[in-house]
Amino acid sequence: MPEKHTVRWGILATGGIAETFTRDLLVDPSTRGVNDLVHTVVAAASSSSASRAKEFLSKVGAPDSAKAYGSYKELVADPNIDIIYIATPHSHHFQNAMLCLEAGKNVLCEKAFTTNAAQTEVLIKKAKEKNLFLMEAVWTRYFPLSIYVRDLITSGKLGVVRHVQADNSTGDNPEESFPDSHRMVNPSLAGGALLDLGIYSLTWVFQCLYTTQPASSRQAPRVSSTITKYHTGVDEASHVLLTFPRSKEQGGDAVGYATTCIRLASDPDGKGSAGPCIRIYGDKGEVQVWWPTFRPTKTRLVLKDGTVEEKNWEQPGPGAGSKWYNGFNGDNNAEGEGHGMFWEADEAGSALRDGRKEGRYESLEESLTIMKVMDEVRRQNDMKYPEKIESTEYPLEL
Ligand SMILES: NC(=O)C1=CN([C@@H]2O[C@H](COP(=O)(O)OP(=O)(O)OC[C@H]3O[C@@H](n4cnc5c(N)ncnc54)[C@H](OP(=O)(O)O)[C@@H]3O)[C@@H](O)[C@H]2O)C=CC1
Ligand SMILES: O=C1OC[C@@H](O)[C@H](O)[C@H]1O
C-alpha cells in the first residue's frame, strides 16, 4: 500500500462553490483510484461571521475539529493549514490571494484568477518570491475526459488540429435570475459572461491549441472579438476569435472560436439534442464534447477512416442521494456522482507532496496568457470594471 499524504485545507468564503468544492474534497479519494492522498478540512472562514463558517463546516460534513473563523485574516494565520482554497467573487481574488501568499500559505484560487493580467502577474511574482504553490482552479482541465482529449491531440490521432469551436452558454433569463447586485452581472464584483463562463470556452480552445504544443513553440494568439452588453455594463455574451501563430512545420496557424452567453443556451433542451458544444477539428477527424462545457461527461470521436467512438465519463462519488450542488445553471449531479472538483484538489495535493509550485495541466504562464486575452477582449469592446477592483495595490479595502 502506498503511504498516504495528508493535505490540510483551509476554505476562504462559504458561498455556493465553496460548498460544492469542500464536499468533493471530503469524498474518499480511493473511490476515484487515488490511494496516496487524503484531503482534510482543518478550517473555514467567512467574512460575515464565525457562526456562518461554523454552519458551513457542519453542512459540508467537515471533521468536528475544524475551526470556524469570522475573518479571512484569522484563517491565513492558522499554522495547521497547508493550502487555502479561495471561493470569493472575481473582484476579490487578488486581495484574498495576496493575503494568503503574504501569510506563507499555498493557494488554489477559483477562476477567473483575477480581474486582469496585471493582478495575475503580481500574484505569480509573489508566489515565486515566497516559494509557494499557486494554481487557478480551472477544474475542467483536471478531468480524465480533458486528459483523454489532450492525449488524442498530442498522439496525432486527429492529425494536425487546426480549429476548435467551444461554446459555454447557460440559457438563463438574467433579468429574472440575477438581481443587478448578483456576482454574475455586477460590475463591482467583476461580473459578466466573459470572466465567469467565457473562461471555459477559452480553456477548451487553449487546452487543445496551446497546452498541447511544446512549451518552446507556444505563442499567444491574436485576438478579435465582439461582445453584447447587459444593462449593468458587463457583457452578457462574448465572441472571441483567436489565431495561434504556428510555423509551416507545425502545420500553419490554428484558429479557435470561443463563445459564451448568459441568455442563449448551448444545450437548449438539457438533453444534448442540439449536439456537441465543443468541436475539435484535425485533418484526420474530430472529437466532440457535450454540455456542460465546464463539467462534461460525454465525448464522441469521429475519424475519416470510419471510426466512431462514443464515451461516457462518469464522475465517481460517494453513492446515491448526493445531489448537493446548488448552482444555478442546471449543472446538478446525477444521482450518486461527485461533482468532479476533487481532481483539481488532487493535482494541488500531489504538487504539495512532490514540491511542484504550479499545476501540470495549466501553467501559471498559460493562466496569465488567458488573462491577457480577456483584457484584450474588454479593451476592444470598452468594457471596464471599477478601478478599485482592477488595482494591483495591496492591501486595499474593497
Ligand atoms: N468552478 C466552478 O464550477 C464554479 C466556480 N465559481 C467561482 O467561484 C467564485 C465564487 O462563486 P460563488 O460561490 O457562486 O459565489 P457566491 O456568491 O455563492 O459566494 C461568494 C462568497 O464570497 C464571499 N464574499 C466576500 N466578499 C464578498 C462580496 N463583496 N460579495 C459577495 N460575496 C463575497 C462570501 O462568503 P463569506 O460571507 O463566507 O465570506 C460569499 O458567500 C467565483 O470566482 C466564481 O467564478 C462559481 C461557481 C462554479
Ligand atoms: O464556474 C462556473 O461554472 C458553473 C456555472 O454554473 C457557474 O456560473 C460558473 O461560475
Side-chain angles (χ1 to χ4, degrees):
M1 283 288 277
E3 208 177 299
K4 288 185 194 282
H5 178 84
T6 301
V7 189
R8 300 169 305 167
W9 290 84
I11 310 297
L12 190 151
T14 59
I17 204 60
E19 183 181 334
T20 305
F21 176 84
T22 311
R23 285 184 189 269
D24 252 27
L25 202 56
L26 294 169
V27 170
D28 177 357
S30 68
T31 58
R32 53 185 181 277
V34 174
N35 296 307
D36 54 359
L37 282 177
V38 179
H39 299 285
T40 183
V41 175
V42 295
S46 166
S47 58
S48 28
S49 65
S51 60
R52 185 172 156 101
K54 195 160 187 228
E55 202 181 301
F56 170 86
L57 287 165
S58 133
K59 191 158 54 167
V60 298
D64 290 344
S65 55
K67 295 211 167 102
Y69 295 116
S71 77
Y72 301 160
K73 274 192 184 144
E74 289 171 273
L75 180 79
V76 304
D78 186 328
N80 293 317
I81 294 174
D82 297 319
I83 180 164
I84 293 181
Y85 168 67
I86 297 175
T88 50
H90 313 144
S91 47
H92 288 53
H93 291 174
F94 174 70
Q95 294 293 330
N96 300 154
M98 282 297 280
L99 179 73
C100 297
L101 294 170
E102 286 287 14
K105 293 292 190 277
N106 298 294
V107 169
L108 175 65
C109 179
E110 259 311 330
K111 39 59 63 179
F113 219 171
T114 53
T115 61
N116 59 36
Q119 291 183 339
T120 295
E121 232 157 355
V122 176
L123 291 186
I124 294 174
K125 205 165 149 228
K126 183 55 69 184
K128 292 219 161 105
E129 181 190 311
K130 296 266 189 181
N131 196 28
L132 292 166
F133 173 83
L134 174 66
M135 185 174 119
E136 183 182 8
V138 187
W139 57 316
T140 318
R141 291 226 179 206
Y142 299 88
F143 283 27
L145 178 151
S146 285
I147 295 171
Y148 160 80
V149 169
R150 292 194 300 265
D151 284 349
L152 281 175
I153 298 169
T154 50
S155 66
K157 199 152 184 182
L158 298 176
V160 178
V161 173
R162 299 169 191 282
H163 178 48
V164 174
Q165 269 172 230
D167 182 53
N168 188 26
S169 296
T170 50
D172 287 294
N173 180 342
E175 287 84 0
E176 270 178 22
S177 306
F178 310 123
D180 290 354
S181 58
H182 193 279
R183 70 163 190 85
M184 282 300 292
V185 291
N186 182 350
S188 300
L189 297 178
L194 181 67
L195 261 64
D196 191 68
L197 302 169
I199 185 130
Y200 290 108
S201 317
L202 289 168
T203 289
W204 276 100
V205 167
F206 264 80
Q207 71 170 344
C208 295
L209 296 179
Y210 189 86
T211 321
T212 51
Q213 298 298 303
S216 58
S217 60
R218 288 176 197 160
Q219 288 191 56
R222 295 191 295 276
V223 180
S224 173
S225 65
T226 183
I227 71 170
T228 307
K229 277 196 185 163
Y230 189 58
H231 69 256
T232 56
V234 297
D235 65 313
E236 64 169 63
S238 284
H239 303 268
V240 187
L241 189 63
L242 299 168
T243 308
F244 292 83
R246 287 196 191 159
S247 65
K248 241 191 197 154
E249 295 71 48
Q250 287 174 292
D253 292 355
V255 175
Y257 181 41
T259 55
T260 186
C261 185
I262 295 178
R263 198 180 296 278
L264 304 176
S266 305
D267 183 29
D269 68 354
K271 295 181 189 153
S273 314
C277 52
I278 302 153
R279 291 182 70 178
I280 298 148
Y281 302 79
D283 43 26
K284 288 187 186 161
E286 71 174 80
V287 60
Q288 307 170 332
V289 183
W290 265 256
W291 177 261
T293 309
F294 41 84
R295 185 182 179 269
T297 56
K298 179 180 162 187
T299 56
R300 182 160 65 191
L301 173 70
V302 184
L303 297 178
K304 278 187 182 166
D305 68 7
T307 305
V308 177
E309 211 174 274
E310 260 192 31
K311 280 176 178 276
N312 289 299
W313 299 80
E314 72 169 47
Q315 309 253 7
S322 61
K323 274 200 165 187
W324 59 52
Y325 188 55
N326 57 358
F328 38 78
N329 291 327
D331 50 343
N332 291 319
N333 296 10
E335 207 59 19
E337 289 186 340
H339 201 69
M341 305 200 87
F342 32 59
W343 286 305
E344 67 179 357
D346 292 343
E347 174 61 15
S350 72
L352 296 197
R353 183 194 58 206
D354 301 339
R356 291 192 307 278
K357 301 298 170 197
E358 47 191 301
R360 282 171 299 180
Y361 302 145
E362 183 174 15
S363 65
L364 289 168
E365 176 278 321
E366 186 165 346
S367 281
L368 178 62
T369 304
I370 295 176
M371 280 312 312
K372 286 181 179 166
V373 167
M374 295 198 287
D375 279 2
E376 178 57 15
V377 172
R378 291 199 295 124
R379 192 196 64 74
Q380 289 178 6
N381 296 281
D382 193 28
M383 179 173 131
K384 295 191 175 100
Y385 305 125
E387 260 174 44
K388 208 172 186 182
I389 64 163
E390 292 228 41
S391 171
T392 52
E393 195 184 323
Y394 173 82
L396 198 63
E397 206 59 54
L398 296 182

